[in-house]
Amino acid sequence: MSGSTRTFDLVVAANRLPVDSVVGPDGEVGWRRSPGGLVTAMESVMRGRDGAWVGWAGDAGEAPEPFEEDGMFLRPVPLSPEEVADYYEGFSNDTLWPIFHDVIVPASFHRYWWAAYERVNRRFAEAVCEVAAQGATIWVHDYQLQLVPAMVRELRPDVRIGWFNHIPFPPVELFAQLPWRRRLLEGLLGADFLGFQRIDDAHNFMRACRRLLGLTTKGEVVNAAVEGRPTRYVRASAIPISVDFAGLEELAQTPEVIQRAKEIRESLGNPETLLLGVDRLDYTKGIRHRLKAYAELLEDGVVAPPDQVFVQVATPSRERVEAYRELRQEVEAEVGRVNGEFADIGSSAVHYLHHSYPRDEMAAMFLAADVLLVTPLRDGMNLVAKEYVACRHDGGGALVLSEFAGAWHELHQAYVCNPHDIAGLKQTIVTAMTATEAERRRRMRAMRRRVADHDVQRWAGRFLEALECAPSRPRRTTREQTADDAHAAADQRAVEARQAARSPQSAGSPQSAETGGRP
Ligand code: ADP
Ligand code: F6P
């Protein structure tokens, strides 16, 4: 059957498809799993569901034809080389990403990046509508597609639309820097339900709606009153994402993974303590802070190879964005400096691995590591922390976890750290390394219970249920409808009165800043 004639009751839209196309040396096109936590989580959710996934195949130029993969229908969205530069590397990862992560590096603003973002979001919305059956559930993901909910609603009022943000939602003081802040909020308010990692993220979003759009909110519900249209209510809640606990545990219990974990330790000289970091090479992950702390522990003589060994896996990421290029140079220079000073023949102080690995190899690394260092400066969740916990069926291991990772709000038994406080971070690493076996097991047991109870299937179930029960289009009696409309009209009058009382600047950005073409 031709791809374009098939429609589905469940459609996922995410910037990336679960697989990236790769061209081999012989020119053959192959597929490899895409990077990042979104794909890890949604891949296991979509397995076995008869759904479609709309996304980019990771290559500039023409998109491949729609195809089936693992029982899922994949509908690639094409991006031209300019759109990869302007929509993906530019607006998504050099404007939104820093703003949504505490401006760890400065954000760049370009009107032609925004124009590409708008254009690509529309293309995604059209592709979603093409594969959505009548009354379908549409699940849009992440910061790259914030305009898609309203665009889909405009084209297809029959569908139900949810959006989940995998990254933090910034405080209004940071979000307000975006010249296109109103358009982004209006785009999101096209959804029936908005899911966030933490309660604070949902609150930040609601505050932005109040402050920048002058909307009213009650509890978790935003009154998205738009002049001339029927009142819509949009719910915004925290539904923290998770991992496939049972699947990871099973994988980590296979004899092959257990054997491989032993081999990894042996190949590192059977250290007393193996410390591990696993991250995309991103400035949000706190890799520099972690290396600084470890280098100081080496200088202090608290750790020394071959008894203590640190392995840092740094997955290549967004390599054409300047801030990522700089980070790679700095990290690699620091690893070189540390090894130059503290390594010996056959025994490195820091093993640095700039590769992607298959799932079973990752599970073996988790099983081999005595201490996992998860020290982001800001992270929506950090699935690596939960994967480590899921793989430790032996009850061993210790997790050092930043208080700025979403995971910290669930994994309170981790060894908590503030990665900006290098002295504190060093102390936490030492505490985790030297804790008694009983103490480490007690903590790991509690964390495993939490992740087992709140796994990715439960997360998806909660999200879809919340979307199903979203208050946007409640079935109401005529009397309730009249009361609601009167209430909405009163809200609207209050909003208008507030807007009139404000200066034009404070109500939103000048319209001229919200449009723009390539220079
Ligand atoms: P992010 O979404 O910011 O990349 P997460 O920690 O939430 O961060 O998710 C990262 C995902 O990528 C996890 O599922 C992790 O196992 C996977 N991953 C990280 N590094 C690698 C690697 N080198 N090879 C394969 N998978 C990796
Ligand atoms: O979870 C955050 C996230 O940005 C996802 O949206 C994305 O798929 C992943 O990390 C990896 O980033 P990228 O798609 O830019 O390689």
Side-chain angles (χ1 to χ4, degrees), residues 36-37 40 278 280 285 313 315 355-357 362 382-384 387:
T40 306
V278 175
R280 262 183 321 101
K285 303 288 182 183
V313 178
T315 324
H355 311 289
S356 280
Y357 291 95
M362 298 292 299
N382 198 288
L383 291 184
V384 167
E387 288 171 355

Side-chain angles (χ1 to χ4, degrees), residues 185-206:
L185 292 175
E186 285 162 3
L188 292 177
L189 288 171
D192 297 286
F193 176 72
L194 301 166
F196 296 88
Q197 298 282 26
R198 302 168 311 150
I199 292 168
D200 286 349
D201 298 316
H203 286 171
N204 286 345
F205 170 76
M206 310 254 278

Side-chain angles (χ1 to χ4, degrees), residues 218-248:
K218 191 171 177 196
E220 292 188 330
V221 178
V222 183
N223 182 343
V226 176
E227 224 179 81
R229 302 236 182 110
T231 304
R232 291 189 61 251
Y233 296 98
V234 180
R235 195 167 148 222
S237 318
I239 302 196
I241 199 168
S242 195
V243 297
D244 176 13
F245 183 90
L248 283 165

Side-chain angles (χ1 to χ4, degrees), residues 30 39 42-43 57 84 135 144 147-148 158 164 172 174 194 204 231 233 307 313 343 361 436 458 473 490 495:
V39 164
M42 285 309 292
E43 210 187 15
V84 173
Q144 302 97 338
L147 304 180
V148 168
D158 60 293
F164 184 80
V172 65
L174 293 180
L194 301 166
N204 286 345
T231 304
Y233 296 98
D307 291 342
V313 178
E361 182 71 3
T436 62
R458 180 161 171 186
R473 284 170 297 167
V495 165

Side-chain angles (χ1 to χ4, degrees), residues 170-185:
V172 65
E173 291 75 12
L174 293 180
F175 187 79
Q177 289 183 18
L178 289 162
W180 310 277
R181 58 204 189 174
R182 294 170 60 99
R183 299 285 305 281
L184 290 166
L185 292 175

